[in-house]
Short mmCIF file of all heavy atoms in Angstrom, two decimals:
data_model
loop_
_atom_site.label_atom_id
_atom_site.label_comp_id
_atom_site.label_asym_id
_atom_site.label_seq_id
_atom_site.Cartn_x
_atom_site.Cartn_y
_atom_site.Cartn_z
N ARG B 498 3.24 6.53 -13.08
CA ARG B 498 2.30 5.61 -12.46
C ARG B 498 2.28 4.27 -13.16
O ARG B 498 2.07 3.24 -12.53
CB ARG B 498 0.90 6.24 -12.46
CG ARG B 498 0.79 7.30 -11.38
CD ARG B 498 -0.64 7.56 -11.03
NE ARG B 498 -1.31 8.35 -12.05
CZ ARG B 498 -2.62 8.29 -12.29
NH1 ARG B 498 -3.36 7.45 -11.62
NH2 ARG B 498 -3.16 9.06 -13.19
N TRP B 499 2.51 4.26 -14.47
CA TRP B 499 2.62 2.97 -15.17
C TRP B 499 3.84 2.20 -14.69
O TRP B 499 3.81 0.97 -14.59
CB TRP B 499 2.67 3.18 -16.69
CG TRP B 499 1.31 3.36 -17.28
CD1 TRP B 499 0.79 4.50 -17.79
CD2 TRP B 499 0.27 2.37 -17.39
NE1 TRP B 499 -0.50 4.28 -18.22
CE2 TRP B 499 -0.85 2.99 -17.98
CE3 TRP B 499 0.19 1.03 -17.03
CZ2 TRP B 499 -2.03 2.30 -18.24
CZ3 TRP B 499 -1.00 0.35 -17.29
CH2 TRP B 499 -2.09 0.98 -17.89
N VAL B 500 4.93 2.93 -14.39
CA VAL B 500 6.11 2.25 -13.86
C VAL B 500 5.78 1.61 -12.50
O VAL B 500 6.14 0.47 -12.23
CB VAL B 500 7.30 3.23 -13.73
CG1 VAL B 500 8.46 2.58 -12.98
CG2 VAL B 500 7.74 3.70 -15.10
N TYR B 501 5.05 2.38 -11.67
CA TYR B 501 4.61 1.82 -10.40
C TYR B 501 3.75 0.58 -10.60
O TYR B 501 3.90 -0.44 -9.92
CB TYR B 501 3.80 2.86 -9.61
CG TYR B 501 4.63 3.70 -8.66
CD1 TYR B 501 5.01 4.97 -9.00
CD2 TYR B 501 5.01 3.20 -7.42
CE1 TYR B 501 5.75 5.75 -8.13
CE2 TYR B 501 5.75 3.96 -6.55
CZ TYR B 501 6.12 5.24 -6.91
OH TYR B 501 6.87 5.99 -6.05
N PHE B 502 2.81 0.69 -11.53
CA PHE B 502 1.90 -0.41 -11.80
C PHE B 502 2.69 -1.65 -12.24
O PHE B 502 2.46 -2.76 -11.73
CB PHE B 502 0.92 0.02 -12.89
CG PHE B 502 -0.18 -0.96 -13.18
CD1 PHE B 502 -1.28 -1.06 -12.33
CD2 PHE B 502 -0.12 -1.77 -14.30
CE1 PHE B 502 -2.30 -1.96 -12.60
CE2 PHE B 502 -1.15 -2.68 -14.57
CZ PHE B 502 -2.23 -2.77 -13.72
N ALA B 503 3.64 -1.44 -13.14
CA ALA B 503 4.45 -2.56 -13.61
C ALA B 503 5.28 -3.16 -12.47
O ALA B 503 5.39 -4.38 -12.34
CB ALA B 503 5.37 -2.10 -14.75
N SER B 504 5.83 -2.28 -11.62
CA SER B 504 6.61 -2.78 -10.49
C SER B 504 5.73 -3.60 -9.55
O SER B 504 6.16 -4.63 -9.02
CB SER B 504 7.22 -1.63 -9.70
OG SER B 504 7.94 -0.78 -10.54
N GLY B 505 4.49 -3.13 -9.37
CA GLY B 505 3.56 -3.87 -8.52
C GLY B 505 3.27 -5.25 -9.10
O GLY B 505 3.23 -6.25 -8.38
N LEU B 506 3.09 -5.30 -10.43
CA LEU B 506 2.85 -6.60 -11.06
C LEU B 506 4.07 -7.50 -10.92
O LEU B 506 3.93 -8.71 -10.72
CB LEU B 506 2.51 -6.41 -12.54
CG LEU B 506 1.13 -5.79 -12.84
CD1 LEU B 506 0.92 -5.72 -14.34
CD2 LEU B 506 0.01 -6.61 -12.19
N LEU B 507 5.27 -6.90 -11.00
CA LEU B 507 6.48 -7.70 -10.79
C LEU B 507 6.48 -8.26 -9.36
O LEU B 507 6.93 -9.38 -9.13
CB LEU B 507 7.73 -6.86 -11.01
CG LEU B 507 8.12 -6.60 -12.46
CD1 LEU B 507 9.34 -5.68 -12.52
CD2 LEU B 507 8.43 -7.90 -13.18
N GLY B 508 5.96 -7.46 -8.42
CA GLY B 508 5.85 -7.95 -7.04
C GLY B 508 4.94 -9.16 -6.97
O GLY B 508 5.27 -10.16 -6.32
N CYS B 509 3.80 -9.09 -7.67
CA CYS B 509 2.91 -10.25 -7.72
C CYS B 509 3.63 -11.44 -8.31
O CYS B 509 3.52 -12.57 -7.80
CB CYS B 509 1.66 -9.94 -8.56
SG CYS B 509 0.73 -8.53 -7.97
N ALA B 510 4.39 -11.19 -9.38
CA ALA B 510 5.11 -12.29 -10.03
C ALA B 510 6.18 -12.86 -9.11
O ALA B 510 6.37 -14.08 -9.04
CB ALA B 510 5.75 -11.78 -11.33
N MET B 511 6.86 -11.99 -8.37
CA MET B 511 7.89 -12.47 -7.45
C MET B 511 7.27 -13.39 -6.40
O MET B 511 7.78 -14.48 -6.13
CB MET B 511 8.56 -11.28 -6.76
CG MET B 511 9.48 -11.71 -5.62
SD MET B 511 10.33 -10.33 -4.84
CE MET B 511 9.01 -9.57 -3.92
N ILE B 512 6.16 -12.94 -5.81
CA ILE B 512 5.54 -13.72 -4.74
C ILE B 512 4.97 -15.02 -5.32
O ILE B 512 5.13 -16.10 -4.75
CB ILE B 512 4.45 -12.89 -4.05
CG1 ILE B 512 5.08 -11.66 -3.39
CG2 ILE B 512 3.71 -13.71 -3.01
CD1 ILE B 512 4.09 -10.57 -3.05
N GLY B 513 4.33 -14.90 -6.49
CA GLY B 513 3.75 -16.08 -7.11
C GLY B 513 4.80 -17.13 -7.45
O GLY B 513 4.65 -18.31 -7.09
N THR B 514 5.89 -16.71 -8.11
CA THR B 514 6.92 -17.69 -8.47
C THR B 514 7.57 -18.26 -7.23
O THR B 514 7.91 -19.44 -7.18
CB THR B 514 8.01 -17.06 -9.37
OG1 THR B 514 8.47 -15.86 -8.75
CG2 THR B 514 7.48 -16.75 -10.75
N GLY B 515 7.71 -17.43 -6.20
CA GLY B 515 8.31 -17.91 -4.95
C GLY B 515 7.46 -19.00 -4.32
O GLY B 515 7.97 -20.04 -3.88
N LEU B 516 6.14 -18.77 -4.30
CA LEU B 516 5.25 -19.77 -3.71
C LEU B 516 5.28 -21.08 -4.49
O LEU B 516 5.31 -22.18 -3.92
CB LEU B 516 3.81 -19.22 -3.67
CG LEU B 516 3.51 -18.22 -2.55
CD1 LEU B 516 2.16 -17.56 -2.78
CD2 LEU B 516 3.54 -18.89 -1.18
N VAL B 517 5.30 -20.95 -5.83
CA VAL B 517 5.33 -22.16 -6.66
C VAL B 517 6.65 -22.90 -6.44
O VAL B 517 6.69 -24.12 -6.34
CB VAL B 517 5.14 -21.80 -8.14
CG1 VAL B 517 5.43 -22.99 -9.03
CG2 VAL B 517 3.73 -21.29 -8.38
N LEU B 518 7.72 -22.13 -6.35
CA LEU B 518 9.04 -22.72 -6.15
C LEU B 518 9.07 -23.58 -4.90
O LEU B 518 9.66 -24.66 -4.86
CB LEU B 518 10.06 -21.59 -6.06
CG LEU B 518 11.54 -21.96 -6.12
CD1 LEU B 518 11.82 -22.81 -7.34
CD2 LEU B 518 12.36 -20.68 -6.18
N TRP B 519 8.40 -23.11 -3.85
CA TRP B 519 8.36 -23.88 -2.60
C TRP B 519 7.78 -25.27 -2.86
O TRP B 519 8.32 -26.28 -2.43
CB TRP B 519 7.52 -23.14 -1.56
CG TRP B 519 7.62 -23.71 -0.19
CD1 TRP B 519 8.48 -23.35 0.81
CD2 TRP B 519 6.81 -24.77 0.36
NE1 TRP B 519 8.27 -24.09 1.92
CE2 TRP B 519 7.25 -24.99 1.69
CE3 TRP B 519 5.77 -25.55 -0.12
CZ2 TRP B 519 6.69 -25.95 2.54
CZ3 TRP B 519 5.21 -26.52 0.71
CH2 TRP B 519 5.66 -26.71 2.03
N THR B 520 6.65 -25.30 -3.59
CA THR B 520 6.01 -26.60 -3.80
C THR B 520 6.82 -27.48 -4.73
O THR B 520 6.87 -28.69 -4.56
CB THR B 520 4.59 -26.42 -4.39
OG1 THR B 520 4.70 -25.74 -5.63
CG2 THR B 520 3.70 -25.62 -3.46
N VAL B 521 7.46 -26.85 -5.73
CA VAL B 521 8.25 -27.65 -6.67
C VAL B 521 9.41 -28.33 -5.94
O VAL B 521 9.68 -29.51 -6.10
CB VAL B 521 8.78 -26.76 -7.83
CG1 VAL B 521 9.72 -27.54 -8.72
CG2 VAL B 521 7.62 -26.22 -8.64
N LYS B 522 10.08 -27.55 -5.08
CA LYS B 522 11.19 -28.10 -4.30
C LYS B 522 10.71 -29.18 -3.35
O LYS B 522 11.35 -30.20 -3.16
CB LYS B 522 11.82 -26.98 -3.46
CG LYS B 522 12.94 -26.24 -4.15
CD LYS B 522 13.61 -25.35 -3.12
CE LYS B 522 14.73 -24.56 -3.73
NZ LYS B 522 15.20 -23.52 -2.80
N ARG B 523 9.59 -28.87 -2.73
CA ARG B 523 9.06 -29.76 -1.70
C ARG B 523 8.65 -31.09 -2.32
O ARG B 523 8.85 -32.15 -1.75
CB ARG B 523 7.86 -29.06 -1.07
CG ARG B 523 7.61 -29.43 0.36
CD ARG B 523 8.72 -28.93 1.23
NE ARG B 523 8.59 -29.61 2.51
CZ ARG B 523 9.51 -29.58 3.45
NH1 ARG B 523 10.62 -28.91 3.27
NH2 ARG B 523 9.33 -30.22 4.58
#
Side-chain angles (χ1 to χ4, degrees):
Chain B
R498 284 200 285 152
W499 278 110
V500 171
Y501 268 101
F502 186 78
S504 307
L506 289 182
L507 282 177
C509 302
M511 170 178 73
I512 297 162
T514 51
L516 282 169
V517 169
L518 191 53
W519 190 93
T520 60
V521 174
K522 270 190 181 169
R523 209 67 195 169

